[in-house]
Amino acid sequence: MIRVLVADDHPIVRSGIVGLLDDADGIDVVGEAATGTEAVERARALQPDLVLMDLRMPELDGTEATFAITAELPGTRVLVLTTYESDDHILGAIEAGASGYLLKAAPSAEIIAGVRAVVAGETVLAPSIAATLVKRMRHREEPAAPALSPREVDVLRLVAAGHSNPRIARELFIGEATVKTHLLHAYDKLGVSDRTQAVLRALDLGIIARDGTNQ
């Protein structure tokens, strides 16, 4: 039997979750908690296989309670079941040690399957939650564009337009040697070695636009 502690501050909602789990084969609700503090205390006393945790809880919020439970009871897993799906809520719960994050609007079968999967050692995420995390992580992994000076960007923009160094010098009212210096600095910052690579890299990073304007 999977021993579950249900933590939710709304009595009616908590009762509904308990009823759902009680009707499922192989799951035994061994306790309930109405506050985050009570969730930690009851988890400590009952040492369930899993705590089904809401995030918005009085006294101690669900994220803090999750951290306390997973830190003290490595044999007890936490599955967040909540209505909140903001980036901060999701990442906070996962970083606190939750093994899954489902929404209360999920179908009953999905919640029951999530309980079983988490106890079996899997990580469970609602589809919308998974999509949010993937988007957030991709954004974090995107390399920052190098900080080119405004004049270096101007030079690259004109190179992208097919202009020669003499013409660039005339348009920007600077010397040809200065154009070359700006290009060399841009090459170094972009990690490239010639004009074509510099333009392609600047376009890829959005430093200059494909229509020849500066971003």
Side-chain angles (χ1 to χ4, degrees):
M1 294 291 285
I2 298 174
R3 304 172 68 252
V4 178
L5 169 65
V6 176
D8 196 296
D9 63 327
H10 295 286
I12 295 177
V13 174
R14 189 171 68 250
S15 177
I17 296 171
V18 170
L20 170 66
L21 298 179
D22 277 340
D23 288 340
D25 293 334
I27 298 177
D28 181 24
V29 178
V30 296
E32 301 177 34
T35 70
T37 301
E38 187 177 359
V40 175
E41 293 173 347
R42 303 231 54 194
R44 187 181 295 131
L46 298 169
Q47 298 197 16
D49 299 307
L50 179 137
V51 177
L52 203 56
M53 179 77 71
D54 189 16
L55 287 184
R56 287 289 179 89
M57 302 275 280
E59 296 180 9
L60 193 68
D61 69 32
T63 299
E64 294 172 320
T66 295
F67 180 81
I69 291 169
T70 56
E72 185 176 341
L73 304 169
T76 297
R77 294 181 175 271
V78 176
L79 172 58
V80 170
L81 183 64
T82 186
T83 57
Y84 304 99
E85 54 180 317
S86 72
D87 288 7
D88 290 340
H89 284 124
I90 298 166
L91 292 175
I94 299 300
E95 290 172 354
S99 297
Y101 197 115
L102 295 177
L103 300 176
K104 289 179 179 178
S108 300
E110 185 178 320
I111 295 173
I112 293 170
V115 168
R116 291 179 174 141
V118 167
V119 172
E122 300 176 23
T123 298
V124 175
L125 296 172
S128 61
I129 301 302
T132 297
L133 284 178
V134 169
K135 183 178 179 180
R136 180 75 171 257
M137 294 310 297
R138 283 178 178 170
H139 179 71
R140 283 183 173 183
E141 291 169 1
E142 288 176 357
L148 271 63
S149 71
R151 184 59 83 190
E152 289 162 359
V153 173
D154 287 338
V155 170
L156 280 181
R157 175 176 55 79
L158 293 173
V159 169
H163 297 339
S164 65
N165 284 3
R167 181 171 175 181
I168 293 172
R170 289 195 301 273
E171 291 206 19
L172 297 180
F173 302 101
I174 57 178
E176 287 186 46
T178 303
V179 172
K180 292 179 181 178
T181 298
H182 286 316
L183 280 174
L184 289 174
H185 288 166
Y187 294 171
D188 183 59
K189 292 177 181 179
L190 294 170
V192 299
S193 58
D194 60 43
R195 297 163 71 92
T196 301
Q197 292 179 6
V199 169
L200 291 174
R201 183 68 174 149
L203 287 169
D204 185 54
L205 292 173
I207 295 172
I208 57 176
R210 296 188 182 276
D211 62 0
T213 60
N214 295 359
Q215 294 287 74

